[in-house]
Amino acid sequence: MPVPRRFDRRPPERDTTRINERIRVPEVRLIDDEGNQIGVLKTADALSFAQERDLDLVEVAPEARPPVCRVLDYSKYKYEQAQKVKQARKHQQQITIREIKFRPKIAQHDYDTKKHHVERFLRHKDKVKVTIMFRGREVTHPERGTAILDRLAEELSELGVVEQRPLQEGRNMTMMMAPSKAVLAGRVDVGEVSNGEVREGAHMGDVASAAIDSPAVTPPVAAADDGASAEPDAAEQGAAPEPQAAAVLAEAPAEDAASGSADTAVS
């Protein structure tokens, strides 16, 4: 029995199940430890039946006439029930509600930042409460807030579903989003491509390759290569060779001259 805290005037929690001598009725319907019905016995006889087996007489149906009692180990029974409740609580999925706030005149950069926060919340299987805050005369244009919420729900349709449509309460307009079935089933991984969309089954290696192949990280040399490919071939126009090739050609006659002078000296 838990010890009550100081200044806590509430009575301590007590087990209301009646066992053994706490059963005051004259007769009970007895069930033995194997689940077989013994029949209606006097309470003293039923208690003796349980004590012979070193077990407890537990009242399981006090509303019945006569009450139903069962022979069992009550301490073991309470322990098993506590373990069942503990396991059920462990496997129970807890849903956390996150909230993020927008303004009707939000800039594009701020919108993208807050949208990424909503994406992160949905990937963690949390519900998201999106709030549009109106100030001053902005409350006379609720269509702006509705447009932002509809746009957000459309762009995040792969990750979340709209659980509660946009609803205006005073100066705030709220919308509730919940994780989609794909997110809850684990079919959507942490995969984000360059345009901000999320693909199903994307992994970090695919994300890295997508980032490398994206035009945003293409080196500026590619533009020069495209321009050079558009020009006619240097060999067809009779243009001068490249500086490195010219240097190689310039060194060749000098080597030929040196070898010729060496042959003359030997002769």
Side-chain angles (χ1 to χ4, degrees):
M1 182 172 51
V3 178
R5 296 178 299 175
R6 190 178 182 184
F7 305 119
D8 190 356
R9 298 182 181 277
R10 293 176 300 177
E13 297 180 0
R14 290 188 175 90
D15 188 2
T16 58
T17 304
R18 292 184 292 185
I19 63 174
N20 298 331
E21 290 80 5
R22 294 175 58 186
I23 302 175
R24 302 291 185 177
V25 294
E27 294 180 342
V28 295
R29 185 177 299 276
L30 185 62
I31 301 176
D32 64 0
D33 52 339
E34 296 181 356
N36 301 321
Q37 291 195 16
I38 304 301
V40 179
L41 299 178
K42 293 187 178 297
T43 305
D45 297 338
L47 183 58
S48 301
F49 182 87
Q51 290 176 351
E52 291 175 357
R53 291 162 175 76
D54 294 331
L55 297 174
D56 299 315
L57 182 66
V58 183
E59 188 178 47
V60 294
E63 294 84 5
R65 291 291 178 268
V68 180
C69 294
R70 186 166 183 173
V71 177
L72 51 85
D73 189 347
Y74 188 62
S75 299
K76 182 179 178 180
Y77 172 76
K78 288 184 64 177
Y79 175 77
E80 291 176 352
Q81 293 297 320
Q83 290 298 317
K84 289 180 180 179
V85 173
K86 185 178 180 180
Q87 291 294 330
R89 189 182 298 114
K90 182 186 298 185
H91 294 289
Q92 184 179 6
Q93 185 177 5
Q94 297 182 355
I95 299 297
T96 305
I97 298 179
R98 304 294 189 96
E99 183 178 12
I100 191 164
K101 298 181 179 180
F102 288 75
R103 291 295 310 280
K105 296 181 180 179
I106 188 171
Q108 181 62 35
H109 183 272
D110 295 338
Y111 173 83
D112 294 337
T113 302
K114 291 179 179 290
K115 186 184 78 171
H116 287 313
H117 288 319
V118 177
E119 291 180 6
R120 178 165 53 87
F121 295 153
L122 292 175
R123 288 196 198 101
H124 285 80
K125 301 179 182 181
D126 296 337
K127 291 186 178 181
V128 184
K129 180 181 179 182
V130 186
T131 304
I132 304 293
M133 299 185 303
F134 296 95
R135 295 180 182 176
R137 297 184 180 180
E138 294 175 349
V139 73
T140 59
H141 298 281
E143 65 278 0
R144 295 184 178 180
T146 305
I148 294 175
L149 296 179
D150 292 342
R151 174 187 174 188
L152 183 67
E154 182 179 358
E155 293 179 355
L156 300 180
S157 59
E158 296 183 0
L159 293 176
V161 294
V162 178
E163 195 174 65
Q164 176 184 336
R165 298 298 302 173
L167 177 64
Q168 186 168 2
E169 299 176 355
R171 292 189 174 272
N172 293 333
M173 180 180 292
T174 59
M175 179 182 70
M176 185 69 71
M177 295 189 66
S180 63
K181 293 182 179 180
V183 174
L184 295 177
R187 295 197 300 268
V188 176
D189 297 335
V190 185
E192 187 174 356
V193 295
S194 57
N195 58 357
E197 298 178 354
V198 177
R199 301 176 297 176
E200 292 189 2
H203 298 282
M204 296 305 297
D206 301 334
V207 175
S209 60
I212 294 175
D213 296 337
S214 61
V217 296
T218 303
V221 180
D225 294 341
D226 296 339
S229 61
E231 296 180 358
D233 192 0
E236 296 177 358
Q237 298 295 331
E242 296 181 356
Q244 295 180 356
V248 173
L249 293 176
E251 293 175 358
E255 293 177 357
D256 293 342
S259 60
S261 60
D263 295 340
T264 304
V266 171
S267 61

